[in-house]
Amino acid sequence: MVEHAHAVIPWFQKNGNPSGLERPIYKQLSAFMLLVAQLLKCELAGRASNATGAGLQRLILPYEKVDTNPEGADDGTKIDVGLRSCPVNSPVEAQPDASYGRALAVVEAKGRSTKALWHQAYAQLFDYSHNVYYCQIDRRFIWGLACCGSEVRACIFSNYRAFASPAIDMTDKAGRSELVRLLVGWSLCDNDRLGYDDTIVWNSELQCYEISVPCADRPGESVPYYTDAFIIGAERLFSRHCRCFLATSTRPTAPVTEDNPLVPDCVIKDTWTFHDEQYNEPALDTGGNSAGSTSTGNSRDNSDGSRGDGNGEVADKLARVTIGGEAVFCWPPENFDLSSLTERSEIGILRKIDARLRHRVDLDGRYPRILDGGWVFQGSDTQRVLDSTRLILGDLDSAQQSRTPFCVHMRYAMTPIGEPLKYVCSIPELIVVLHDVMRCHAAIYDECRILHRDISDSNILIVRPKSGGVHGMLIDFDCAVDKSVTKRFTRPECSGSLPYMSVGNLERLPIPRTQLDDWESVIYLICWLGAFGINDESRIVGGNLPEHLDEIC
């Protein structure tokens, strides 16, 4: 502990880093994290567990390697410092093997505090943090720390917005207390306050993930599904964070290994559904001693050019964690009807399609069928709260509600399982797949009055039944609209996949979107496949493209 205290002292001094280099800050910041963890561990050893239970306590520890490329990175970029959540009985020491798959937050440091360096730090945090989403299938939002000189800002990244706290001045006693308060909050809060999803857990006995999917037949209950592989990860920092898993509802009888693989029979889609309606701001009842403090300074200009209220409300406004109490977000209101959201979501559209087309045996397997699914709730059985961006951001976003997309967390299991279009074996097989898909598209529009609006290579799958043969399946109805509900189809915004958009859609022409727009997308898809190849074996590289086009012509 003495070693950590000595190492962190220069960080507390106004001229503690005369060289202006960022590397000394790595050691100082890591030492501060270790010092707080050691003090917290000593404090907790002499008292009873906190109100939420000993299992929810953790230590926030830095990785041993600094300026390193963590495992799971999609490029060669290096993070300055990584933070990890460890069990409270762990030894207080720097953690080995930096990995995005186990990182709680990424820290980006700069040697001095200037507007330009703050912007660089934010940009690098944006660049690095998307790897956390991809590598951790149970992350709902991400924390980060930007450090310039002796100032620190806590950052939070949600689906479509990022927030940074006012600067925490480490040369000031109040500032140091505020960062300690934030770290203590991280150490004692519930998992969902750190950005984790309590409905996705690693089952160490079975060596696979157990995912709770809302039950279709029993509202309020969930069905456990098991998976050891995802086929689509959340690759972007700002998006719907759509993830897809190969899964089964049959509990494995033995641990999942290479010799005893899990046999999937469905696909789980986990996504944040976008809604453009405006809702009332949820109330926040701290219900105990707040982890935040009152403001310690008046409104002032920050060194990054923004305005803030000083250090005092960092934990209240940003961390939203409590010590000895629970924060309760009162949304949705008791009289709010969630069915209105469900009807306009993909799961509502698929249920309507299945209800109208179930008698069409010729369309079996040409569109996804819902097994289970619904809205995801966080919290205990006695206090379940709808998981949404409003739950994550709370009153952080109260001043800019109209500018922040409102997203609600949804999860559902579907069948059958298909392969991407790139695995088509031949041109005749491609013709069969496209024929099936557009025949299904026409039936859905004629009998269900639903327009897909996103025909692309990624939304057409190949299904190979065990009985033999091959057929196509149309998926991803996130952009679909129900004509029976939405009377007008004039959509000035672009919807769909850019390479295959119709001209009217691409240019945002104020004309109704119809079936012809989707058929136009099919023509562009066929041209694309004809020019670049129908699968990986026939894919045309850029250098051979002109000759190939001559052959086509």
Side-chain angles (χ1 to χ4, degrees):
M1 188 182 300
V2 175
E3 178 185 355
H4 302 326
H6 282 299
V8 81
I9 286 176
W11 199 31
F12 298 162
Q13 299 171 346
K14 291 188 178 295
N15 297 315
N17 185 20
S19 66
L21 300 176
E22 63 181 60
R23 195 164 189 85
I25 298 178
Y26 304 164
K27 181 180 179 181
Q28 296 162 3
L29 193 145
S30 297
F32 184 81
M33 300 293 173
L34 293 170
L35 180 62
V36 172
Q38 186 66 62
L39 293 172
L40 179 61
K41 187 172 184 179
C42 293
E43 178 68 19
L44 291 179
R47 64 161 65 177
S49 63
N50 68 311
T52 55
L56 297 177
Q57 298 176 12
R58 64 192 67 82
L59 297 176
I60 308 302
L61 302 175
Y63 281 116
E64 182 179 15
K65 291 184 178 181
V66 297
D67 191 26
T68 183
N69 181 243
E71 180 186 352
D74 62 353
D75 54 27
T77 55
K78 298 180 179 181
I79 64 172
D80 293 341
V81 180
L83 302 181
R84 182 180 175 182
S85 170
C86 301
V88 73
N89 58 356
S90 302
V92 179
E93 58 188 19
Q95 299 297 296
D97 304 326
S99 167
Y100 279 120
R102 295 183 294 271
L104 168 66
V106 174
V107 183
E108 178 60 31
K110 300 295 178 185
R112 299 186 185 279
S113 178
T114 66
K115 182 177 180 179
L117 289 177
W118 276 113
H119 287 178
Q120 288 182 25
Y122 291 148
Q124 288 176 272
L125 271 183
F126 278 40
D127 187 29
Y128 304 152
S129 294
H130 80 277
N131 290 297
V132 179
Y133 273 127
Y134 184 79
C135 295
Q136 298 183 25
I137 67 172
D138 58 343
R139 281 308 281 270
R140 299 157 49 241
F141 63 91
I142 297 175
W143 289 96
L145 291 178
C147 176
C148 291
S150 293
E151 291 185 340
V152 178
R153 295 177 190 271
C155 303
I156 186 171
F157 302 95
S158 68
N159 294 72
Y160 290 101
R161 287 189 70 83
F163 291 85
S165 73
I168 302 173
D169 187 357
M170 298 304 293
T171 65
D172 179 68
K173 180 180 178 181
R176 294 192 291 272
S177 298
E178 200 62 39
L179 185 55
V180 169
R181 191 183 298 273
L182 181 65
L183 295 176
V184 170
W186 282 355
S187 300
L188 299 182
C189 69
D190 291 341
N191 275 326
D192 63 297
R193 308 271 183 86
L194 293 178
Y196 295 105
D197 190 336
D198 288 335
T199 62
I200 300 178
V201 297
W202 173 255
N203 190 317
S204 57
E205 176 187 353
L206 299 177
Q207 289 297 294
C208 64
Y209 281 99
E210 184 174 329
I211 302 179
S212 298
V213 179
C215 183
D217 301 325
R218 301 183 300 276
E221 299 184 24
S222 60
V223 179
Y225 282 76
Y226 304 89
T227 180
D228 63 346
F230 67 87
I231 50 179
I232 296 179
E235 297 181 348
R236 298 180 180 180
L237 183 62
F238 298 117
S239 69
R240 294 185 299 122
H241 296 156
C242 180
R243 300 177 173 99
C244 292
F245 312 91
L246 296 177
T248 178
S249 59
T250 303
R251 182 184 175 88
T253 57
V256 177
T257 62
E258 291 185 3
D259 297 329
N260 181 43
L262 187 145
V263 181
D265 53 23
C266 66
V267 174
I268 293 178
K269 183 174 181 179
D270 185 277
T271 185
W272 290 74
T273 302
F274 172 79
H275 294 283
D276 57 2
E277 292 86 349
Q278 297 299 312
Y279 299 102
N280 294 325
E281 182 66 17
L284 173 61
D285 180 12
T286 55
N289 297 322
S290 173
S293 62
T294 58
S295 178
T296 59
N298 297 322
S299 181
R300 60 181 176 84
D301 289 322
N302 297 318
S303 58
D304 66 347
S306 62
R307 290 186 65 82
D309 296 326
N311 295 334
E313 297 188 358
V314 173
D316 275 342
K317 292 285 190 179
L318 195 57
R320 302 184 328 283
V321 295
T322 57
I323 302 174
E326 279 296 308
V328 181
F329 290 86
C330 303
W331 200 94
E334 292 184 2
N335 60 351
F336 186 82
D337 184 13
L338 278 176
S339 62
S340 62
L341 295 183
T342 305
E343 290 174 0
R344 295 189 294 276
S345 67
E346 182 182 23
I347 190 172
I349 287 176
L350 286 175
R351 282 172 174 166
K352 178 177 180 179
I353 292 172
D354 193 33
R356 299 283 182 88
L357 298 182
R358 184 172 283 272
H359 68 284
R360 293 282 302 270
V361 181
D362 60 314
L363 296 180
D364 239 3
R366 272 67 177 181
Y367 62 88
R369 281 185 174 169
I370 300 293
L371 300 176
D372 289 294
W375 305 108
V376 177
F377 287 77
Q378 298 293 329
S380 62
D381 293 335
T382 58
Q383 183 182 310
R384 299 171 66 249
V385 186
L386 180 66
D387 199 11
S388 67
T389 50
R390 196 62 52 82
L391 170 64
I392 294 172
L393 298 177
D395 59 352
L396 278 173
D397 202 30
S398 58
Q400 303 185 61
Q401 288 183 49
S402 61
R403 296 175 54 193
T404 303
F406 177 78
C407 300
V408 184
H409 194 179
M410 178 171 272
R411 182 181 301 144
Y412 36 100
M414 304 175 290
T415 188
I417 298 175
E419 299 176 331
L421 191 60
K422 66 181 180 179
Y423 292 114
V424 67
C425 296
S426 63
I427 291 179
E429 192 170 275
L430 174 65
I431 294 173
V432 170
V433 169
L434 293 181
H435 172 265
D436 282 340
V437 164
M438 294 314 294
R439 183 166 58 88
C440 180
H441 176 277
I444 289 173
Y445 185 80
D446 293 339
E447 300 189 35
C448 308
R449 312 306 293 166
I450 290 173
L451 186 63
H452 188 275
R453 300 200 310 164
D454 190 12
I455 302 297
S456 68
D457 58 339
S458 59
N459 291 338
I460 296 175
L461 297 184
I462 308 166
V463 179
R464 304 183 188 277
K466 293 181 179 179
S467 57
V470 63
H471 62 79
M473 179 169 63
L474 182 62
I475 65 168
D476 198 348
F477 287 76
D478 281 313
C479 293
V481 289
D482 189 341
K483 187 178 180 181
S484 64
V485 176
T486 307
K487 300 301 181 183
R488 298 186 62 201
F489 279 79
T490 301
R491 296 278 181 171
E493 82 280 5
C494 291
S495 61
S497 302
L498 186 61
Y500 314 110
M501 286 182 182
S502 67
V503 173
N505 189 12
L506 187 62
E507 296 187 357
R508 295 183 174 88
L509 298 181
I511 57 177
R513 304 289 186 259
T514 67
Q515 280 181 293
L516 293 179
D517 290 273
D518 285 355
W519 278 100
E520 187 177 337
S521 296
V522 174
I523 294 174
Y524 298 149
L525 174 58
I526 294 173
C527 292
W528 182 279
L529 295 174
F532 294 98
I534 63 172
N535 52 34
D536 288 341
E537 292 182 1
S538 63
R539 192 72 65 198
I540 305 300
V541 296
N544 297 330
L545 184 57
E547 295 180 7
H548 182 68
L549 289 177
D550 289 339
E551 293 175 5
I552 294 176
C553 296

